[in-house]
């Protein structure tokens, strides 16, 4: 994702305006647009935030960096707010911080209030000597037993980074942090299309229109910047470094053992990795590398976004069980009766009470018991009753002898062998008991599941309403099937795939390369989700990508996957949108691997990753690093063979294939016989 605008801000906690004349230890902001740069000095925080707010309102894709801590060491957030999230601290401070337009603020008094929530003395320290704040120690040495770690994980890895607890004196960053977090909480509320990295995005490359991140300008060499004041040089250097930020900056901390908690609770400094500061402006090691500042989203990061950001959106309806195949359960299915409902015979034969048998032939009782034709009268002790498979055991019968083990003559039965007590019978409820949970909410119902529900006494089930998914093709060049030109392969293919997944496909037709017409068609779509094909790249006629940046919300754009890197994941008018590539093979692959699990989750099913099977390779291949690859494949003679061409336009390979061979992101060389991962189309719901 490229940023059209990069803003780097050097913050200040000054209690009065810093004057009209630019000076150090004040607020400096650099706005870096491709090809131009604007440096500003501000005497007050309010003026700086007004200017930044105006820039954000321009609608450009923006990376915004501030140079104060955006989180605290572990345990602080929970102790202060009850939630172990940095953003909960932001919101708490927004309520309690007073920060006037003339810079007057209550940071020291508020720090004392916070200290009183902790045992001992501290953790905050540092204040002007004139302030009478007994619970805010003036020196570090006066603190004791407050229970907080001194530094965040990232501060231990960034050279010379100061602890966030210090509020005053040289190098203090705590005051900027308290005032800054409160300001950022308000900024988030004003801009719903803003995402905070990594607190909201995890250690993945964020795709929101506005990305807010913590920066540390001291990481960057400012010697090339022309300005007398160091703070000004540093924000200029920071903005230049952020514009050229390689993808590793966003994802490197994900390797930390406790990465998810750190991201949410402590935050991180962009440009710092697990082992310290990362190289500046290093291009990704990928033959598909983009210009500086642009990178691909890893497949796992894109799937994680979909998995964590999707939830059921459909309503609930009651459907007769015989029409429920392929549908999604909206509530647990609970047995209303036992199965079998009564003890019954497992074979055709003769039933009797085992304990009452005497020696010799067994007299036969009148009548018989059959499935659906119960024998109501008790069977007298010492007598046998003719009984057929499935018949309820009448009173006085607890054992059944096989028909072939008995000889009937002169009104009596002679057994070749006496079976064990209870032989050839089924106990009531031995399969299911009344009240058993038969099927869990979110299950996609198979024919065998319907059998189970019926056996448990259910005539109808609570199901999710069918998810309506609109399919739209874009492009002047495509024509209807059978026409002269480039056939619209994708739309009929995608509509069929959706139907096979138990969803309700909605044909939105084709729209020409006209941004107004495309926007109107998307606006008019009465659907729960959208699949488009074409227009998601960066060409002159790729209007979808520009419309999504201007009016939609983009979570990820350009996934590190082959085929299919122009894949766009986002929302249009709040409706999930999957902007699939125009090439049929890429559209098929991205729909199967990215859209399918997310759409099924929106439809109410559980998230499911396709099973992978390790099989020997029937091919040899050398792969470069940078993208995950999916090769059209099939199994023959126990080995995976792959289609002769990897071209995304070779539709014949889709019909030829029966699955994918999945190759990991890293570089590797495969020889025939090496084990590879195989995903069958059948396991992707593609029959």
């Amino acid at each position: 994702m490229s940023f059209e605008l990069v803003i780097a801000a050097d913050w200040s906690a000054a209690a009065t305006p810093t004057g009209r004349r630019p000076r150090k230890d004040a607020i400096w902001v650099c706005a870096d647009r491709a090809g131009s740069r604007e440096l500003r000095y501000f005497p007050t925080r309010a003026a700086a935030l007004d200017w930044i707010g105006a820039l954000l309102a321009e609608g450009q894709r923006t990376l915004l960096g501030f140079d104060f801590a955006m989180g605290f060491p572990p345990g602080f957030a929970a102790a202060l707010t009850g939630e172990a999230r940095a953003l909960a601290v932001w919101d708490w401070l927004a309520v309690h911080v007073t920060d006037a337009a003339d810079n007057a603020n209550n940071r020291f008094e508020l720090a004392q209030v916070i200290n009183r929530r902790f045992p001992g003395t501290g953790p905050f320290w540092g204040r002007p000597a004139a302030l009478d704040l007994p619970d805010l120690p003036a020196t570090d040495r006066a603190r004791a037993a407050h229970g907080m770690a001194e530094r965040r994980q990232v501060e231990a890895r960034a050279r010379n980074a100061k602890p966030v607890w210090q509020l005053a004196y040289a190098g203090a960053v705590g005051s900027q942090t308290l005032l800054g977090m409160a300001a950022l909480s308000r900024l988030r509320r004003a801009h719903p299309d803003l995402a905070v990295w990594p607190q909201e995005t995890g250690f993945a490359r964020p795709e929101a229109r506005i990305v807010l991140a913590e920066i540390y300008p001291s990481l960057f060499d400012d010697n090339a910047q022309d300005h007398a004041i160091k703070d000004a040089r540093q924000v200029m250097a920071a903005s230049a470094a952020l514009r050229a930020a390689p993808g590793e900056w966003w994802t490197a901390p994900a390797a930390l053992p406790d990465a998810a908690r750190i991201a949410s609770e402590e935050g991180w400094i962009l440009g710092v990795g697990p082992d310290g500061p990362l190289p500046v402006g290093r291009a990704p090691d990928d033959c598909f590398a983009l210009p500086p500042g642009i990178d691909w989203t890893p497949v796992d990061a894109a799937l994680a976004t979909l998995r964590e950001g999707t939830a059921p959106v459909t309503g609930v309806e009651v459907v007769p069980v015989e029409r429920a195949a392929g549908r999604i359960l909206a509530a647990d299915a609970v047995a209303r009766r036992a199965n079998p409902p009564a003890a019954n015979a497992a074979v055709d034969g003769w039933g009797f009470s085992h304990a009452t048998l005497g020696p010799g032939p067994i007299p036969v009782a009148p009548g018989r018991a059959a499935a659906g034709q119960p024998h109501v009268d008790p069977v007298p002790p010492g007598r046998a009753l003719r009984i057929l498979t499935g018949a309820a055991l009448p009173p006085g019968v607890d054992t059944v002898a096989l028909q072939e083990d008995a000889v009937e003559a002169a009104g009596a039965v002679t057994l070749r062998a006496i079976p064990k007590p209870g032989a050839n019978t089924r106990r009531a409820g031995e399969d299911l008991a009344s009240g058993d949970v038969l099927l869990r909410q979110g299950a996609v119902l198979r024919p065998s599941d319907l059998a189970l529900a019926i056996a448990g006494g259910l005539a109808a089930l609570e199901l999710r309403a069918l998810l309506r998914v609109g399919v739209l093709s874009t492009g002047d060049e495509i024509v209807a099937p059978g026409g002269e030109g480039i056939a619209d392969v994708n739309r009929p293919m995608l509509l069929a795939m959706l139907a096979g997944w138990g969803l309700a496909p909605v044909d939105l037709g084709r729209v020409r390369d006209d941004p107004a017409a495309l926007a109107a068609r998307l606006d008019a779509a009465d659907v729960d989700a959208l699949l488009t094909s074409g227009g998601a790249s960066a060409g002159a006629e790729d209007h979808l990508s520009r419309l999504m940046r201007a009016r939609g919300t983009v979570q990820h754009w350009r996934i590190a996957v082959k085929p299919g890197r122009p894949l766009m994941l986002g929302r249009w008018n709040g409706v999930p949108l999957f902007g699939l590539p125009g090439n049929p093979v890429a559209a098929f692959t991205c729909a199967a691997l990215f859209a399918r699990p997310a759409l099924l989750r929106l439809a109410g099913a559980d998230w499911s990753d396709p099973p992978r099977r390790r099989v020997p390779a029937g091919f040899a291949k050398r792969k470069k690093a940078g993208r995950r690859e999916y090769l059209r494949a099939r199994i023959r003679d126990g080995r995976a063979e792959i289609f002769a061409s990897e071209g995304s336009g070779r539709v014949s390979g889709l019909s030829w294939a029966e699955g994918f061979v999945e190759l990991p992101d890293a570089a590797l060389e495969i020889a025939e016989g090496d084990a590879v991962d195989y995903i069958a189309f059948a396991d992707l719901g593609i029959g």
Side-chain angles (χ1 to χ4, degrees):
M1 178 192 71
S2 61
F3 291 105
E4 297 162 291
L5 173 64
V6 175
I7 304 172
D10 186 353
W11 202 236
S12 168
T16 59
T18 52
R20 295 180 59 186
R21 184 174 180 177
R23 47 161 282 190
K24 68 175 184 176
D25 297 326
I27 296 176
W28 289 89
V29 182
C30 183
D32 187 324
R33 297 176 176 86
S36 67
R37 187 165 63 183
E38 183 176 7
L39 178 69
R40 289 285 192 100
Y41 157 83
F42 295 96
T44 66
R45 289 177 291 279
L49 290 169
D50 286 345
W51 189 67
I52 290 171
L55 292 177
L56 297 181
E58 292 177 1
Q60 300 174 90
R61 192 172 298 280
T62 303
L63 171 58
L64 172 60
F66 283 86
D67 73 332
F68 51 80
M70 294 188 182
F72 285 90
F76 178 84
L80 183 66
T81 71
E83 298 182 60
R85 298 186 306 113
L87 298 186
V89 177
W90 292 20
D91 293 340
W92 188 94
L93 290 171
V95 173
H96 294 86
V97 163
T98 300
D99 194 6
D102 64 354
N103 274 359
N105 63 80
N106 66 338
R107 67 187 189 274
F108 295 111
E109 292 80 4
L110 184 58
Q112 174 172 258
V113 170
I114 296 173
N115 276 356
R116 287 171 177 166
R117 293 184 172 226
F118 291 81
T121 305
F124 287 106
W125 67 277
R127 58 174 169 80
L131 291 180
D132 183 18
L133 299 172
D135 292 319
L136 178 62
T139 67
D140 180 17
R141 293 189 301 273
R143 295 187 302 161
H146 52 74
M148 288 289 102
E150 190 65 2
R151 296 175 184 270
R152 297 181 293 159
Q153 295 266 5
V154 69
E155 287 155 358
R157 293 167 169 83
R159 61 175 182 265
N160 301 322
K162 298 287 186 179
V164 74
W165 309 119
Q166 183 181 348
L167 302 178
Y169 322 126
V173 297
S175 288
Q176 291 96 313
T177 293
L178 292 178
L179 300 180
M181 286 184 175
L184 296 186
S185 174
R186 301 182 187 104
L187 194 69
R188 288 181 67 231
R189 288 198 296 272
H191 297 277
D193 51 355
L194 179 152
V196 185
W197 180 91
Q199 285 88 337
E200 289 182 296
T201 65
F203 291 117
R205 187 130 170 41
E207 301 294 329
R209 185 181 77 82
I210 304 169
V211 177
L212 175 61
E214 179 181 345
I215 62 173
Y216 187 28
S218 296
L219 294 176
F220 314 123
D221 183 3
D222 61 46
N223 290 328
Q225 311 302 323
D226 184 17
H227 202 284
I229 297 176
K230 184 175 180 63
D231 300 315
R233 296 197 304 272
Q234 285 191 329
V235 293
M236 288 192 286
S239 67
L242 293 174
R243 179 164 290 288
E248 182 187 11
W249 279 22
W250 303 98
T251 59
L256 292 166
D258 200 12
R261 184 202 60 77
I262 292 170
S264 175
E265 184 179 8
E266 299 182 38
W268 200 262
I269 296 170
L270 186 60
V272 177
D275 301 317
L278 296 166
V280 176
R282 186 178 70 187
D285 182 19
D286 183 4
C287 62
F288 293 98
L290 294 173
I294 306 176
D295 198 12
W296 308 115
T297 299
V299 168
D300 288 338
L303 289 173
T305 297
L306 292 173
R307 184 170 54 250
E308 295 164 9
T310 51
V313 298
T314 54
V316 177
E317 57 189 17
V318 177
V319 176
V321 67
E322 59 267 26
R323 298 208 305 267
R327 299 289 297 273
I328 298 170
L329 266 182
D332 290 349
V334 179
R336 297 180 60 186
R337 70 179 184 192
N339 184 53
N344 63 82
V347 297
D348 292 344
W350 297 90
F352 46 83
S353 171
H354 194 281
T356 65
L357 289 184
I362 308 169
V364 174
R368 72 169 194 168
Q373 301 174 22
H375 187 279
V376 178
D377 297 331
V379 175
R383 296 201 170 215
L385 179 75
R386 179 70 169 143
I387 193 165
L388 303 181
T389 303
L393 300 183
V397 172
D398 60 18
T399 303
V400 176
L402 286 167
Q403 178 176 297
E404 50 267 39
D405 288 340
V407 177
E408 181 186 11
V413 172
T414 301
L415 302 180
R416 294 188 177 92
I418 303 296
K420 294 180 180 179
N424 302 313
T425 65
R426 304 185 185 104
R427 292 178 289 102
E430 72 175 17
D431 183 24
L432 307 172
S434 178
D436 282 353
V437 176
L438 307 178
L439 300 161
R440 291 290 183 184
Q441 174 184 335
V444 180
L445 297 174
R446 304 164 298 171
S448 54
D449 296 326
L450 305 191
L452 177 62
I454 294 169
L458 301 177
L461 296 168
E462 290 185 63
L463 304 179
R464 285 283 180 182
L466 292 175
L467 186 82
R468 290 170 52 83
V469 185
V471 180
L472 176 66
S473 291
T474 68
D476 289 340
E477 72 282 7
I478 57 175
V479 298
E484 295 296 327
I486 300 175
D488 185 0
V489 170
N490 290 346
R491 186 158 48 92
M493 176 182 69
L494 294 170
L495 290 167
M497 292 171 76
L498 293 170
W501 296 335
L503 308 176
V506 178
D507 189 349
L508 300 179
R510 176 182 69 90
V511 65
R512 298 178 64 84
D513 287 323
D514 180 335
L518 175 57
R521 190 74 60 91
L522 293 173
D523 285 339
D526 180 20
V527 294
D528 303 306
L530 288 158
L531 289 185
T532 66
S533 66
S537 192
E541 299 299 332
D542 289 314
H543 300 300
L544 176 68
S545 58
R546 280 185 287 279
L547 278 173
M548 285 292 289
R549 291 197 298 273
R551 283 191 49 190
T553 300
V554 178
Q555 295 167 300
H556 292 294
W557 181 44
R558 298 181 174 179
I559 312 301
V561 61
K562 179 183 179 182
R565 69 180 184 271
L567 173 65
M568 176 177 286
L569 308 176
R571 290 179 179 268
W572 180 270
N573 295 335
V575 176
L577 182 146
F578 301 82
L580 304 176
N583 284 323
V585 174
F588 176 92
T589 303
C590 290
L593 298 171
F594 295 93
R596 177 180 177 267
L599 291 173
L600 289 175
R601 183 74 187 110
L602 291 168
D606 296 327
W607 180 277
S608 66
D609 295 312
R612 291 154 173 83
R613 162 160 85 99
R614 297 290 280 176
V615 298
F619 61 93
K621 177 179 172 60
R622 178 176 294 174
K623 176 191 174 296
K624 294 183 178 181
R627 293 200 289 171
R628 189 165 303 177
E629 296 188 13
Y630 292 90
L631 310 178
R632 284 152 284 171
R634 62 190 186 185
I635 303 296
R636 292 294 183 271
D637 298 324
R639 293 189 167 209
E641 60 181 35
I642 60 174
F643 189 58
S645 170
E646 296 181 20
S648 291
R650 296 285 296 272
V651 183
S652 58
L654 293 178
S655 180
W656 175 92
E658 297 166 358
F660 293 117
V661 162
E662 181 185 53
L663 303 182
D665 304 351
L668 81 163
E669 187 166 347
I670 300 168
E672 287 200 32
D674 289 349
V676 293
D677 284 334
Y678 178 78
I679 302 172
F681 284 169
D683 290 325
L684 292 168
I686 305 169

